[in-house]
Amino acid sequence: MAVPSLIVQTLPVADPGPLLELLPAGSPLAWVRGNEGLVGWGRAVSVQVSGASRFADAEAWWTALVATAEVEDDVRLPGSGLVCFGSFAFDGSRASSVLVVPSVVVGQRDGVWWVTTVQGADDAFARDSPPAPVGLTLTDDAPDGAAWAEIVAEGVARIEAGEVSKVVLARAVVAKALEPVDVRWPLRALFRDYPSCWTFAVEGLVGATPEMLVRLRDGVATSRVLAGTLRRSGDSNEDLRRGGMLPRSIKDVEEHGYAVGSVADSLAPHVLSIDVPAAPFVLELPNVMHLATDVRAVVRPGTSSLALAAALHPSAAVCGTPTADALAVITELEGMERGRYAGPVGWTGASGDGEWGIALRCGQVDAADPSRLRLFAGCGIVAGSKPRDELAESVAKLLPMTAALTAPA
């Protein structure tokens, strides 16, 4: 695939203020957590890929682009120099994936700020306030909640019949406004309300994920695995009690074990050593609590973050176990198109280092109707799953996006 020769310059700058407040309207790009991250705007160059080879095709395009670029980087931190943002389809046969090199990137890491421009782009900051969505309504996408609970029951039956050990089933809600939605509005609300998550925006996909599929930095890969979920009650004492019970829940520990095992198995061919903690910890978010495990590995020389993302996707946390059988059950039962929901989302740099989360707690703007978004939530189904409880869990997982879209000014 032909690529242009890019001229890229990264310079340190004084603190310009919160990253998300620098984004102009249009198609903002973001990957931010706490006080660190990247935001971008404009489009220097991009590529769409699809099919089973989408990760390999994306990496081939990126490698060719890096090879021809002229880069002046006076910062030399992860995220400086030439970078691209990306978002991959959950199932490459049913939706496209995208990599985007912004015209301007602003980053912050380790107390250092920088601006990267491509082809001499204007790096002026917008600093305007996005409007709140107007006249927003929320409706179940097909299938509705009751029908989805029946699908969960069928998923449990497939598990009991021995077809799969675990399957992740998702549902969607449609958010419709009277005017096009400025995604900077929910971005800011998600960043404020979920500071421990990675807030992202790539090509109309916007959300805040608690799950790092893989981070690669200086030869060390980290993957945060979440599986096993408990809704918060709103009572801190009750949540403390229930949170203490989560690691003793047979159903949740079993679900978590499948997810951790799939990550470790997928990483194994690409690493020199791997560390898998013996037991998970409880990750507390404003809406739910998760069993969580941070897997760390030393990768083989020449391994890129894109290659690791390709190896890890789809993990048991978003698909099931065994992977191929669970994907077949999802395709048969789920009854909706996931698009880029539950696919890798994040960024990569010229060195191959990067960060790729799983696109969860998110919504996708309808390209044909920017006043419409589909919001997604999925639940891991195992033998002990109860459809009514899974439906309630899906509602809790939809809360970050519904609350962000309806957040007060």
Side-chain angles (χ1 to χ4, degrees), residues 255-293:
E255 180 186 344
H256 189 78
Y258 288 132
V260 173
S262 83
V263 166
D265 290 345
S266 297
L267 283 176
H270 304 275
V271 305
L272 300 173
S273 63
I274 189 167
D275 175 37
V276 181
F281 64 93
V282 177
L283 177 67
E284 298 188 15
L285 299 173
N287 58 323
V288 293
M289 292 177 278
H290 293 292
L291 289 179
T293 295

Side-chain angles (χ1 to χ4, degrees), residues 91-379:
D91 182 348
S93 67
R94 305 177 68 182
S96 294
S97 306
V98 63
L99 294 181
V100 181
V101 177
S103 301
V104 179
V105 176
V106 184
Q108 181 191 13
R109 192 178 300 275
D110 299 335
V112 178
W113 290 84
W114 68 87
V115 174
T116 299
T117 55
V118 181
Q119 312 297 71
D122 181 1
D123 61 1
F125 302 141
R127 300 186 190 281
D128 61 330
S129 297
V134 176
L136 193 78
T137 59
L138 299 170
T139 58
D140 276 346
D141 199 4
D144 64 18
W148 186 77
E150 293 177 2
I151 291 171
V152 171
E154 177 61 22
V156 173
R158 299 293 183 93
I159 292 168
E160 292 175 345
E163 291 186 30
V164 292
S165 299
K166 171 188 172 180
V167 63
V168 179
L169 295 172
R171 59 184 289 251
V173 167
V174 174
K176 184 71 169 69
L178 297 178
E179 299 175 357
V181 174
D182 188 329
V183 298
R184 297 177 300 167
W185 181 271
L187 261 183
R188 292 188 185 189
L190 289 165
F191 176 74
R192 179 190 65 230
D193 295 340
Y194 295 86
S196 65
C197 294
W198 290 268
T199 303
F200 62 86
V202 179
E203 289 291 282
L205 186 72
V206 56
T209 181
E211 193 151 358
M212 175 65 74
L213 181 65
V214 65
R215 173 195 291 117
L216 180 61
R217 184 172 182 178
D218 297 330
V220 177
T222 306
S223 181
R224 170 162 289 183
V225 185
L226 304 183
T229 303
L230 188 65
R231 288 174 293 134
R232 299 195 76 117
S233 67
D235 182 299
S236 58
N237 291 328
E238 176 65 11
D239 285 345
L240 181 63
R241 183 188 70 81
R242 296 172 70 199
M245 294 173 61
L246 188 58
R248 298 193 294 273
S249 163
I250 295 175
K251 178 261 184 188
D252 291 298
V253 170
E254 178 186 15
E255 180 186 344
H256 189 78
Y258 288 132
V260 173
S262 83
V263 166
D265 290 345
S266 297
L267 283 176
H270 304 275
V271 305
L272 300 173
S273 63
I274 189 167
D275 175 37
V276 181
F281 64 93
V282 177
L283 177 67
E284 298 188 15
L285 299 173
N287 58 323
V288 293
M289 292 177 278
H290 293 292
L291 289 179
T293 295
D294 287 336
V295 177
R296 290 172 56 86
V298 177
V299 303
R300 296 184 183 279
T303 303
S304 70
S305 63
L306 264 173
L308 293 175
L312 288 166
H313 178 78
S315 73
V318 294
C319 182
T321 305
T323 302
D325 296 332
L327 184 57
V329 172
I330 290 170
T331 302
E332 182 182 350
L333 296 185
E334 202 168 70
M336 72 167 196
E337 172 51 57
R338 289 191 179 191
R340 288 179 281 137
Y341 162 71
V345 60
W347 66 273
T348 187
S351 68
D353 286 2
E355 296 177 309
W356 296 95
I358 301 177
L360 304 173
R361 318 297 197 269
C362 64
Q364 173 68 56
V365 177
D366 187 333
D369 179 5
S371 66
R372 182 179 184 271
L373 294 84
R374 293 176 73 223
L375 317 180
F376 300 94
C379 298

